[in-house]
C-alpha cells in the first residue's frame, strides 16, 4: 500500500480571505472554492494534475485546504509552518512584504538580538496562526 501526505487542513473563520492571503504569500493558486472550503496548491501541482501519470504518486505536490470553524484562535499553535526565501532574497525585505500583506510580528520567547539571536522571524497570519520566516536557503 502506498500512502502520501496529501494536504494540510487549516481551520479559518474566513476561509476565502485566509486562502487568498496565503495564496498571495506563497504565489500559489486557488483550484477549488465553495462557501465551506477553499483549496490552494503550488503551480507545480496544477501542472502535475494536467498529466498525473508523469509524476509518481508519492512525489505529487500537496495542497492546503481552508475550512470554516466558528471559534477564533485562542492559544499558540501546536504546529507551525516554516517558510524560507530563496538564497538571493533579502530577509528583512521579505518580512516587510509579509507585514505589508497583513502578517504581524509575534513574540513566542525567541531571542532577537545578541550572540544567541535566532535567524528567523516569527509572524502570524491575519487570523493569528504563527509561522516562521527562516533565513534565506537553497
Amino acid at each position: 500500500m502506498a500512502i502520501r501526505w496529501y494536504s494540510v487542513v487549516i481551520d479559518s473563520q474566513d476561509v476565502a480571505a485566509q486562502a487568498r492571503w496565503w495564496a498571495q504569500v506563497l504565489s500559489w493558486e486557488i483550484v477549488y472554492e465553495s462557501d465551506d472550503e477553499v483549496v490552494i496548491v503550488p503551480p507545480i501541482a496544477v501542472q502535475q494534475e494536467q498529466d498525473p501519470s508523469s509524476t509518481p504518486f508519492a512525489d505529487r505536490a500537496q495542497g492546503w485546504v481552508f475550512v470554516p470553524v466558528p471559534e477564533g484562535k485562542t492559544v499558540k499553535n501546536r504546529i507551525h509552518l516554516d517558510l524560507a526565501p530563496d538564497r538571493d532574497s533579502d530577509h528583512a525585505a521579505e518580512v516587510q512584504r509579509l507585514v505589508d500583506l497583513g502578517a504581524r510580528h509575534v513574540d513566542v520567547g525567541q531571542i532577537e538580538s545578541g550572540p544567541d539571536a535566532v535567524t528567523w522571524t516569527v509572524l502570524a497570519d491575519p487570523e493569528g496562526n504563527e509561522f516562521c520566516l527562516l533565513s534565506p536557503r537553497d
Side-chain angles (χ1 to χ4, degrees), residues 31-123:
V31 294
Y32 177 80
E33 185 169 3
S34 70
D35 290 341
D36 61 354
E37 181 179 39
V38 180
V39 179
I40 67 171
V41 298
I44 189 70
V46 175
Q47 295 170 4
Q48 290 171 343
E49 185 62 29
Q50 292 169 358
D51 183 14
S53 64
S54 68
T55 305
F57 177 74
D59 295 338
R60 293 183 192 155
Q62 298 80 21
W64 290 4
V65 180
F66 295 83
V67 298
V69 294
E71 70 278 353
K73 182 177 171 299
T74 58
V75 297
K76 181 180 174 291
N77 295 359
R78 300 271 319 249
I79 188 170
H80 72 265
L81 303 168
D82 282 346
L83 306 180
D86 70 34
R87 68 175 174 209
D88 298 324
S89 293
D90 177 333
H91 183 264
E94 189 60 25
V95 168
Q96 189 59 53
R97 180 183 80 88
L98 296 172
V99 169
D100 290 347
L101 289 173
R104 64 181 173 77
H105 289 270
V106 176
D107 180 359
V108 294
Q110 70 273 23
I111 299 171
E112 295 184 352
S113 63
D116 296 326
V118 298
T119 59
W120 59 86
T121 301
V122 182
L123 299 167

Side-chain angles (χ1 to χ4, degrees), residues 11-24:
D11 292 348
S12 307
Q13 289 191 293
D14 185 337
V15 295
Q18 275 292 90
R20 281 181 177 64
W21 191 84
W22 278 105
Q24 186 174 14

